[in-house]
Amino acid sequence: MDSRSTDRERDMTSTITPALHAEDLDRLLSVVRLIGRLDTGSVLTSAMPLLGDDERTALARHTAFAHAAVLVFPETLDGLAAQLSRHGLEVGAPKSSVVVRDRLSRRYSVPAARLDVVILRAPVANRAGRRCEVEIFALVTPPDLRHVAEQERRHDRESHLALTVAPADPVVVRGSRATLRAHLSPDGGGYNGHEDATVLYFRDPRPTAADRHRLELICAGHHPDLLAAHRRESAPATALLHLLTGAWATRAIATAAELRLPDHLVTTPGLPGLAAATGADPDSLARLLRYLTALGVVRPSGSGHELTDLGTLLRSDVEGSMRALALMYGGPFYRSFAGLTEAVRTGEESYAKVFGAHHFAHMAADPGLAELFHESMAAGGAMFTEAARVLDLSAARVVVDVAGGNGELLSRVLTAHPHLHGVLMDRPHALAAAEPTLAPVADRCALVPGDFTESVPTTGDVYLLSRVLHDWDDQRCQAILATCFRDMPDHAELVVLERLLPESQTEDLAVPWDIHMLCNTGGRERTESRYRALLAEAGFDLFETHPLPLDAHLLRARKRRSR
């Protein structure tokens, strides 16, 4: 070959259009530089800044920073490996991408068969000098797919940092996913049969999250159940539908309680017998049982069904039965919740508008409903038992339960502390409901009719206000606390049982209960700091708080000492 031929070929090579456009090459090289600044610990820190040190250390033991990924858009794969090599990136043979291909297909409504997406990997050293990879997803982009390239460059939806789980033990995989799930939102995933790996994507839900705010968890092998759950959680529309059907779950559980289905299931697991016992249509009952199974209330057993732990609480004959609560929430309170919009607009309870009277007055006028309400209040038995256990009442002699309803809490306190005497103060209809509950300790308990807005007994050493203050607005709470302060002996202690709104996070029963109070009583749940302020305004010092079951808390207060 003469020199003129060599020069001609060199000129032709120099004019060949690079496989990658300059913008994509810059994006790719920035990812390479990023890898050099990261290791496993820094990836975890940047992705989950609120992750505790112990969790970060444990997660780093079971995972490793594997790669950083970027999606690029060559018009052809020809010459791509050579172009990358000129920039120090030696890629292996391309492999088909199933997961990213399917994500793009769904995102842009393009048939997957029209998308040619491959994975190229090149070794790159991380901050610790250990081998990582840059993972290059390359979508061959003919003119009719340029809109995909434009959108993806703008939003960078497929860039991510990846962790591998090693070894891919199912327990470790689930634990790693659960830890990431506590801080990040699921963002899809899939199984790549070409590499026999399940990948789970997560994203930072904060709108201000920095670039590369997506994280990939790579798990060797196929984990279909975990992947299915992750995909469900990744779909906002599906998640919203689950929330929107919450009222259906309430009514289904209430229907089971109304039919006494949990009671009958103890002795009659088969559908024909259940239908006869409940007076229900067999086909419709079968459909209800299927839904209750999905809710975790029952489960299949042989040719019939049996109760789960949740379903057992709906039996009428068990300790801590919540059947009455199901009937209340699926009955009167279910109806009043239909007026929530008006309650939010006006700040006034919807119960009174639905039933024509405040719920206390309405229930007092209906003996059957009043009895059901008091039974539902007794469903907090676990809360009461723990309150009786943690309270130090060794120096007390008389406990006064103010507006104590059916006496469930006072009964447990007196049973746990045989030296105590009790006083239950409430309205006459409530005292009548309390007599059976307090019968075992009747020789140590007095039932006193009264109104806590006017006075409370003056002979107590400890005064209980259990789920009373949340029924009222701040002004009425002040009046109740002022009455207590005025009539309580100076040495006496005030004990308040309430759910506390969290100061920041929202995963607490007090949050939905606050809306319940808005609808049904005109009251509200409060934070500990708000109760502290209310107590202080009435002359009390809050000196101790104990957590109780069912997301409740016990607050102990004393009269402020004069200085």
Side-chain angles (χ1 to χ4, degrees):
M1 182 182 297
D2 62 27
S3 60
R4 287 177 297 177
S5 297
T6 304
D7 291 340
R8 190 183 310 113
E9 290 179 4
R10 186 181 298 117
D11 291 341
M12 290 176 61
T13 302
S14 65
T15 60
I16 293 175
T17 302
L20 283 185
H21 294 285
E23 181 180 355
D24 283 345
L25 184 60
D26 288 343
R27 292 170 58 241
L28 171 57
L29 295 178
S30 71
V31 172
V32 173
R33 292 190 293 270
L34 176 68
I35 294 172
R37 300 193 300 268
L38 296 174
D39 56 18
T40 303
S42 58
V43 167
L44 293 173
T45 299
S46 63
M48 297 175 288
L50 299 181
L51 186 67
D53 291 341
D54 290 344
E55 284 184 299
R56 184 180 298 108
T57 300
L59 193 56
R61 280 201 304 268
H62 297 289
T63 62
F65 175 36
H67 67 252
V70 63
L71 175 61
V72 295
F73 308 94
E75 294 182 8
T76 174
L77 296 180
D78 295 340
L80 178 57
Q83 182 184 12
L84 295 176
S85 179
R86 290 196 293 272
H87 291 276
L89 299 175
E90 302 297 335
V91 297
K95 296 183 178 181
S96 295
S97 168
V98 175
V99 178
V100 172
R101 180 202 65 190
D102 290 347
R103 285 168 62 87
L104 294 173
S105 173
R106 287 190 294 269
R107 190 175 298 148
Y108 296 100
S109 299
V110 177
R114 286 187 53 208
L115 298 176
D116 183 7
V117 185
V118 300
I119 305 172
L120 297 160
R121 294 189 177 94
V124 179
N126 70 7
R127 184 172 71 176
R130 295 179 178 175
R131 177 190 169 106
C132 273
E133 292 179 326
V134 56
E135 184 174 74
I136 306 163
F137 294 104
L139 169 64
V140 177
T141 311
D144 63 333
L145 291 179
R146 283 175 183 166
H147 67 288
V148 175
E150 291 171 359
Q151 288 294 317
E152 288 300 311
R153 289 184 184 119
R154 180 177 301 131
H155 298 290
D156 211 21
R157 293 187 181 98
E158 297 304 324
S159 292
H160 62 262
L161 302 173
L163 300 170
T164 54
V165 180
D169 181 285
V171 175
V172 175
V173 169
R174 290 182 180 276
S176 299
R177 177 189 179 271
T179 302
L180 268 60
R181 178 68 181 88
H183 297 268
L184 301 169
S185 297
D187 192 33
Y191 171 70
N192 191 336
H194 298 288
E195 300 183 330
D196 189 26
T198 300
V199 297
L200 308 174
Y201 290 109
F202 300 83
R203 62 178 174 80
D204 191 327
R206 298 173 301 171
T208 57
D211 290 342
R212 317 276 177 238
H213 56 277
R214 293 180 67 244
L215 200 64
E216 178 187 21
L217 193 66
I218 306 171
C219 318
H222 195 191
H223 304 269
D225 293 342
L226 190 66
L227 179 58
H230 193 79
R231 281 173 166 167
R232 282 196 304 272
E233 293 178 11
S234 301
T238 303
L240 183 58
L241 279 176
H242 276 291
L243 296 177
L244 290 173
T245 59
W248 303 352
T250 301
R251 276 302 307 154
I253 293 171
T255 296
E258 290 168 10
L259 295 173
R260 293 190 177 272
L261 185 60
D263 290 341
H264 292 302
L265 272 170
V266 176
T267 57
T268 312
L271 180 62
L274 283 175
T278 59
D281 172 69
D283 179 66
S284 299
L285 183 59
R287 294 162 71 178
L288 175 63
L289 285 165
R290 182 171 58 200
Y291 188 27
L292 293 174
T293 300
L295 295 174
V297 175
V298 301
R299 59 174 165 250
S301 176
S303 60
H305 289 80
E306 65 181 7
L307 296 170
T308 64
D309 289 344
L310 293 181
T312 299
L313 291 173
L314 294 170
R315 288 173 54 183
S316 60
D317 59 346
V318 297
E319 178 74 17
S321 170
M322 301 179 78
R323 178 177 182 269
L325 207 60
L327 295 174
M328 282 297 302
Y329 288 169
F333 291 153
Y334 186 87
R335 291 177 59 190
S336 65
F337 248 101
L340 176 59
T341 301
E342 189 65 17
V344 171
R345 283 182 175 146
T346 65
E348 300 174 358
E349 61 170 293
S350 56
Y351 191 100
K353 294 186 178 181
V354 172
F355 293 102
H358 185 279
H359 97 276
F360 288 129
H362 177 250
M363 292 181 186
D366 183 335
L369 188 56
E371 181 180 359
L372 180 63
F373 175 70
H374 289 303
E375 289 178 3
S376 71
M377 293 294 285
M383 178 197 313
F384 300 149
T385 299
E386 183 67 5
R389 187 187 71 81
V390 301
L391 275 174
D392 180 6
L393 300 173
S394 57
R397 292 295 175 266
V398 178
V399 174
V400 179
D401 193 353
V402 179
N406 74 337
E408 187 70 30
L409 173 58
L410 184 58
S411 172
R412 292 175 189 255
V413 169
L414 295 181
T415 301
H417 302 277
H419 71 285
L420 290 176
H421 284 73
V423 176
L424 179 66
M425 192 203 83
D426 211 319
R427 304 213 170 168
H429 72 276
L431 296 180
E435 287 183 0
T437 304
L438 291 168
V441 292
D443 60 327
R444 293 188 286 125
C445 186
L447 306 183
V448 177
D451 182 345
F452 53 62
T453 64
E454 297 176 358
S455 65
V456 299
T458 60
T459 57
D461 301 304
V462 174
Y463 288 72
L464 306 176
L465 278 177
S466 175
R467 297 181 294 179
V468 171
L469 297 180
H470 76 158
D471 286 328
W472 308 101
D473 60 23
D474 284 0
Q475 183 177 359
R476 187 65 67 91
C477 282
Q478 280 297 323
I480 296 168
L481 292 172
T483 300
C484 292
F485 184 85
R486 182 194 68 201
D487 294 346
M488 286 171 54
D490 288 343
H491 73 276
E493 178 179 320
L494 180 65
V495 176
V496 176
L497 271 70
E498 295 286 0
R499 288 190 172 93
L500 299 180
L501 279 174
E503 300 284 354
S504 55
Q505 53 86 22
T506 58
E507 292 184 6
D508 191 288
L509 284 176
V511 175
W513 248 259
D514 186 45
I515 297 299
H516 169 63
M517 304 315 294
L518 168 64
C519 255
N520 292 300
T521 71
R524 66 190 311 136
E525 305 293 353
R526 298 174 174 88
T527 61
E528 179 180 344
S529 59
R530 184 56 191 148
Y531 275 119
R532 186 184 300 277
L534 287 172
L535 288 163
E537 290 173 26
F540 292 98
D541 284 328
L542 175 62
F543 67 89
E544 195 170 80
T545 301
H546 281 287
L548 299 174
L550 306 179
D551 282 356
H553 288 78
L554 183 150
L555 288 71
R556 301 177 64 190
R558 296 192 188 101
K559 286 187 174 183
R560 187 176 303 119
R561 302 285 191 266
S562 57
R563 294 173 181 164

